[in-house]
Amino acid sequence: MSMAITTSTASHTSLASVTLEVADPEAARRFYTALGVDTRIRLRASEARSTGFRGFTLALTVSRPATVDSFLGAAVDAGAAVLKPAAKSLWGYGGVVQAPDGTIWKVATSAKKDTGPATREIDEMVLLLGVEDVKASKQFYVGQGMTVARSFGGKYAEFTSGESSPVKLALYKRRGLAKDLGVPADGTGSHRIILGSTTGPFTDGPFTDPDGFAWEAAAPLTPAPSTTSAQS
């Protein structure tokens, strides 16, 4: 499998914020504070209809297996349901949980052995959108001013993040993403997620991409450190 990398290093448009639509913002805030990601996401009250797979996951990349277990344990203690117990894989070590509000989270590391004790540090946070056609969606976002950082044919694409972005945007085939998360791919209704940008055409007003993911203008969140790349 070949990997194509763009020659441009400038990213005119990037993901500046992620807003989750939840039925109970206060309960969700308590959960995400316990998980340790409350400064990286926003919450908005919504009763929008949604069934089955919402078409995305938020992934945390961390340094070692012990840290994966620490984050997953905190999530379960705060009320999350385990979708895939933490285990070794071809890519490293990781597990998947579903928050009480329905959002699916994956926590993983490329390391298969611990080189130290668990920490609460997040190396990178990635929003993976499950799309029908990765190549077509990638070209759509390039047309909106985004820069491709990594691309694996029609399977996966990752975009360059802006300095103010706490989350990196990536694309994955919807059915492949659902399989990786351990859930059926079928789903209807709202994605229950809003993507925000401070630059580019997304700031001209509410906007929806070809797979139905909504964008709007948003002020950036507090910058969070990002040191490594993540691939599902």
Side-chain angles (χ1 to χ4, degrees), residues 9 12 26 37 43 45 52 54 79 83 98 110 121 125-126 128 182 192 200 206 208 212:
T9 58
H12 301 292
E26 286 307 314
V37 298
L43 301 171
R54 295 181 184 173
L83 297 181
Q98 187 168 31
S110 59
E121 295 180 2
M125 183 167 157
V126 180
L128 279 158
R192 301 288 285 271
T208 302

Side-chain angles (χ1 to χ4, degrees), residues 69-154:
D69 291 337
S70 177
F71 274 97
L72 293 177
V76 171
D77 289 345
V82 176
L83 297 181
K84 292 182 73 172
K88 290 182 179 180
S89 69
L90 177 65
W91 300 103
Y93 180 84
V96 181
V97 295
Q98 187 168 31
D101 66 82
T103 303
I104 296 175
W105 291 79
K106 180 175 183 178
V107 186
T109 177
S110 59
K112 295 186 179 181
K113 294 182 179 180
D114 286 317
T115 56
T119 71
R120 294 294 291 170
E121 295 180 2
I122 298 171
D123 292 339
E124 189 169 66
M125 183 167 157
V126 180
L127 170 61
L128 279 158
L129 302 183
V131 300
E132 292 302 321
D133 187 328
V134 171
K135 288 184 177 180
S137 292
K138 178 179 68 176
Q139 288 306 117
F140 169 80
Y141 279 113
V142 168
Q144 309 310 312
M146 288 190 166
T147 299
V148 177
R150 297 196 300 166
S151 178
F152 292 85

